[in-house]
């Protein structure tokens, strides 16, 4: 059955047919209708998130949780979501994840005209550009498959003209894609620097595989016609070229990043003159010029505003008509090139219109051609040699003993992660020194994407795998990070009916960067007194009914609170509070080991405290490093650890 659909509804239909389970978005023209349409499918959990960043984080959590997911936003929304996007490119996905970027050439309802294909290139993820509603649906379905095949998010880029134009779409049935298993993989989903370095190499390997795929995929196809003129184009520009220049050969790119170098080289060499027609930035043109290939693009085609068939006829069409007038649509030529057609001798009137003379072009930059020439010139210079390594006189890193990253002695976060590991919970983590809760021996963190992402990821895991799984999921975030970008995630949990639990690790400072103040410390950067944000009141103001405050050093209280809140219905918050150990200059009494009671079980080492070690099958506490937090004595099964001075050793 065929139906007339706008691109946004075709996208929703394609996502539904592809088996999407979770979709999130923040409304923004021209993308808004996507989530509205998906919300009408009962098989899909669809939500409005407080912003695009949270929407993408929810989709990330769902994909990691094994459900195909989608996040939709307008082009400027990707700016808001760029933080998780850049790291998502590193982690990859479990189930397929599609990011829809609806760009707005012509600024019909936007504050700028940015070209988001550059985001795909920046993140090194595939970018698909459909040219009508049928392609929107088909590419949406393919995007999920590509995402899973290459373990990457996929950007599907629409423009306003595609998103809001009707064309016929062949409808299909929904494919029920089974929920993939959730497997804890901190090396893949917790982007500590050590893991991130490894994943960056994976991204590079994936880019090369995608580039090879781009050479053979039917997404990129050549439509041969007259070879005196050829056009490389994509998206809606393809439709304009087909209408304005029906006689030229066309290389239509559906996958615009990475693009097919060999296919492009072969095409350019096979036509006498090659043009690049694309809206907004010379995204394709610059890359083609960097290959050293002679193409004409932004010298003729406007760099601002929407294109149209008439603009293509007036710009590229004028140049083509000078050589082969029969390749240009006669009806459009009569309007776009009246002087040439009236003279009956196109060659005699072959003056090419300046870009700013094209209809609908309000303003045209003058540096485009120069910039393109610079790119072409640079491409012929070859790569510069890498600078030689500098001799510093310091020993090489390989000569130094290994020092695994660990939390500081007395860190108040240690006990919380110890309990989380003990309870076997799934932990969506965040950015801060507490991210070290992912490292041995604690190993209590499952994901870490970016600042403030823990809540959205936890929400996505819950929506992917259901309320029972949600009782095993907690999000953890520091006080500073919560105020940075965690509040919107908590609002999303409340607004969209989460049963999740958030633990705010409140140590009263921005510890990781050197104890800077934040709105919750009561002081400004100049150390002037300031209003102190109250985390408990903020949580309640955001709609959380269940809020507990516990002492991070009291393991029994921490465990009790976590058990209660993960079992409770509705969203809840636990504020685990203790000042950063490095802020307390007055050292508590250190702990010692009663050798007569030490069982040699090594259980105390599970805390990962640098002050604890083993010697001759017994625990030893370094009195210099011991901070006196007392966590070790709370978990020692032999009651062998006590405060120094309490009684004789």
């Amino acid at each position: 059955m065929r139906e007339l659909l706008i691109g946004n509804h075709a996208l929703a239909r394609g996502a539904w047919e592809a088996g999407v389970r979770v979709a999130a978005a923040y409304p923004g023209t021209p993308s808004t209708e996507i989530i509205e349409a998906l919300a009408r499918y009962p098989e899909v959990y669809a939500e409005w998130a407080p912003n695009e960043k949270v929407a993408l984080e929810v989709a990330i959590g769902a994909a990691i949780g094994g459900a195909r997911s989608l996040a939709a936003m307008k082009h400027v929304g990707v700016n808001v979501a760029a933080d998780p996007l850049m790291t998502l490119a590193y982690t990859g996905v479990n189930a397929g994840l599609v990011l829809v970027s609806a760009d707005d050439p012509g600024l019909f309802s936007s504050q700028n005209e940015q070209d988001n294909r550059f985001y795909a290139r920046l993140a090194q993820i595939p970018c698909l550009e459909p040219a009508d509603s049928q392609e929107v649906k088909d590419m949406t379905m393919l995007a999920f498959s590509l995402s899973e095949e290459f373990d990457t998010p996929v950007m599907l880029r629409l423009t306003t003209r595609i998103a809001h134009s009707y064309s016929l779409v062949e409808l299909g049935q929904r494919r029920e894609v089974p929920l993939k298993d959730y497997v804890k993989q901190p090396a893949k989903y917790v982007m500590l620097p050590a893991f991130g370095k490894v994943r960056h190499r994976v991204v590079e390997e994936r880019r090369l595989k995608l580039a090879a795929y781009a050479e053979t995929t039917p997404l990129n196809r050549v439509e041969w016609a007259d070879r005196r003129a050829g056009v490389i184009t994509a998206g809606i520009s393809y439709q304009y070229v087909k209408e304005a220049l029906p006689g030229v050969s066309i290389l239509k790119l559906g996958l615009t990043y990475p693009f097919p170098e060999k296919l492009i080289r072969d095409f350019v060499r096979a036509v006498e003159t090659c043009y690049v027609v694309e809206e907004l930035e010379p995204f394709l043109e610059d890359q083609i010029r960097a290959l050293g290939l002679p193409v004409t693009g932004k010298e003729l085609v406007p760099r601002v505003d929407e294109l149209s068939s008439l603009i293509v006829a007036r710009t590229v069409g004028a140049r083509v008509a000078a050589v082969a007038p029969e390749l240009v649509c006669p009806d459009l030529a009569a309007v776009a090139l009246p002087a040439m057609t009236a003279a009956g001798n196109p060659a005699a009137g072959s003056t090419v219109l300046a870009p700013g003379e094209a209809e609908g072009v309000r303003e045209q930059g003058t540096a485009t051609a120069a910039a393109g020439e610079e790119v072409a010139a640079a491409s012929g210079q070859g790569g510069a040699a890498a600078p030689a390594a500098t001799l510093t006189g310091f020993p090489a890193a390989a000569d130094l003993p290994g020092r695994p990253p660990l939390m500081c002695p007395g860190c108040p976060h240690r006990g919380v992660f110890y309990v989380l590991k003990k309870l076997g919970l799934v932990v969506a983590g965040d950015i801060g020194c507490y991210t070290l809760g992912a490292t041995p021996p604690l190993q209590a963190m499952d994901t870490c994407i970016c600042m403030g992402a823990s809540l959205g990821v936890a929400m996505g895991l819950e929506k992917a795998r259901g309320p029972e799984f949600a009782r095993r999921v907690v999000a953890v975030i520091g006080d500073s990070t919560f105020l940075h970008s965690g509040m919107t995630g908590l609002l999303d949990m409340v607004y969209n009916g989460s049963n999740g639990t958030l633990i705010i690790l409140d140590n009263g400072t921005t510890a990781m960067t050197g104890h800077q103040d934040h709105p919750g410390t009561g002081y400004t950067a100049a150390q002037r007194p300031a209003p102190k944000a109250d985390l408990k009141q903020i949580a309640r103001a955001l709609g959380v009914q269940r809020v507990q405050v516990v002492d991070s050093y009291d393991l029994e209280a921490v465990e009790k609170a976590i058990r209660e809140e993960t079992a409770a219905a509705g969203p809840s918050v636990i504020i685990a509070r203790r000042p950063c150990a490095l802020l307390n200059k007055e050292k508590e009494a250190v702990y010692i080991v009663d050798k007569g009671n030490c069982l040699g079980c090594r259980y105390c080492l599970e805390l990962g405290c640098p002050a604890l070690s083993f010697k001759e099958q017994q625990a030893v506490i370094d009195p210099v490093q011991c901070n006196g937090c007392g966590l070790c004595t709370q978990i020692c099964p032999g009651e062998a650890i006590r405060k120094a001075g309490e009684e004789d050793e």
Side-chain angles (χ1 to χ4, degrees), residues 505-581:
L505 303 169
D506 180 11
N507 62 3
T509 187
T510 311
M512 192 169 186
T513 49
H515 298 127
Q516 288 75 29
D517 284 293
H518 61 64
T521 65
Y523 293 93
T524 67
Q527 295 301 295
R528 296 192 184 97
K532 184 176 181 179
D534 187 313
L535 300 180
K536 187 174 181 179
Q537 289 188 18
I538 289 173
R540 290 199 182 282
L542 291 173
V544 180
Q545 301 297 314
R546 299 180 63 92
V547 183
Q548 292 197 44
V549 180
V550 296
D551 181 351
S552 298
Y553 280 171
D554 187 341
L555 294 185
E556 184 177 344
V558 170
E559 181 172 339
K560 179 174 179 290
I562 293 174
R563 286 185 182 277
E564 288 176 355
E565 299 309 329
T566 52
S572 57
V573 171
I574 300 169
I575 302 173
R577 181 169 289 160
R578 265 279 177 173
C580 173

Side-chain angles (χ1 to χ4, degrees), residues 418-441:
Y418 170 82
V419 173
L420 291 173
K421 181 183 180 184
K422 175 184 175 183
L423 298 179
L425 298 177
V426 176
V427 179
D430 224 293
I431 301 293
C433 44
Y434 49 89
T435 313
L436 294 173
T439 60

Side-chain angles (χ1 to χ4, degrees), residues 347-392:
S350 61
T351 301
V352 176
L353 298 175
E357 295 175 301
E359 182 178 327
V361 179
R362 293 194 279 272
E363 187 176 353
Q364 170 69 24
T366 57
T368 307
E373 291 164 3
E374 288 173 5
V375 171
S379 69
Q381 293 175 353
T390 303
L391 297 177
T392 63

Side-chain angles (χ1 to χ4, degrees), residues 88-333:
L88 171 63
Y90 277 37
T91 66
V93 297
N94 181 17
L97 189 154
V98 176
L99 168 65
V100 180
S101 171
D103 294 8
D104 190 19
L107 293 99
F108 290 95
S109 58
S110 305
Q111 61 270 48
N112 69 36
E113 282 190 295
Q114 70 186 47
D115 188 332
N116 276 8
R117 294 176 296 180
F118 288 96
Y119 268 117
R121 187 178 181 187
L122 179 61
Q124 299 194 29
I125 61 174
C127 179
L128 305 182
E129 288 195 73
D132 58 29
S133 294
Q134 182 66 57
E135 281 198 352
V136 170
K137 197 201 93 166
D138 295 343
M139 287 191 186
T140 301
M141 300 179 70
L142 178 63
F144 283 104
S145 300
L146 289 177
S147 176
E148 291 170 359
E149 179 181 352
F150 291 95
D151 192 14
T152 177
V154 175
M155 175 181 282
L156 186 65
R157 183 202 185 225
L158 306 185
T159 54
T160 303
R161 197 60 57 178
I162 296 291
H164 287 165
S165 294
Y166 282 91
S167 62
L168 284 171
V169 177
E170 184 72 36
L171 303 184
Q173 298 300 312
R174 177 175 169 86
R175 177 190 168 203
E176 290 299 339
V177 180
L179 191 67
K180 292 193 172 187
D181 292 338
Y182 172 73
V183 180
K184 181 171 181 172
Q185 301 179 73
K188 187 172 189 290
Y189 296 121
V190 179
M191 283 303 96
L192 288 164
F195 295 152
K197 285 183 179 179
V198 175
R199 292 302 302 180
H200 196 179
R201 296 189 184 97
V202 174
V203 171
E204 280 299 305
E205 293 167 1
R206 182 183 70 206
R207 183 181 62 80
L208 296 175
K209 291 177 182 175
L210 282 164
Y213 170 81
E215 299 287 354
T216 58
T217 175
L219 290 168
N220 301 324
R221 67 171 187 265
V222 176
E223 298 175 2
W224 289 117
D226 195 293
R227 299 198 182 198
R228 284 175 291 176
V231 177
I232 300 174
T233 187
I236 189 62
S237 300
Y238 164 78
Q239 305 289 6
Y240 301 146
V241 171
K242 288 287 286 185
E243 185 175 2
L245 308 169
V248 304
S249 295
I250 297 175
L251 172 53
K252 178 187 182 300
L253 298 179
L255 178 62
T256 49
Y257 186 82
F259 74 10
E261 288 190 15
K262 182 178 183 304
L263 187 61
I264 287 174
R265 287 183 189 278
D266 292 346
F267 181 80
V268 173
R269 289 165 180 164
V271 297
E272 291 183 13
T273 305
C274 188
Y275 302 91
V276 179
V277 177
E278 55 188 328
E279 282 184 325
L280 300 181
E281 300 303 311
F283 177 77
L284 298 171
E285 181 184 338
D286 283 353
Q287 295 180 79
I288 295 169
R289 287 180 183 272
L291 297 175
L293 298 173
V295 294
T296 300
K298 292 303 176 185
E299 300 97 320
L300 305 176
V301 181
R303 194 169 179 166
V304 300
D305 213 337
E306 261 199 326
L307 294 184
S308 68
S309 300
L310 192 59
I311 292 174
V312 173
R314 280 191 167 176
T315 54
V316 177
R319 185 70 68 85
V320 172
V323 178
E326 68 275 18
L327 303 184
V328 182
C329 171
D331 291 341
L332 282 172

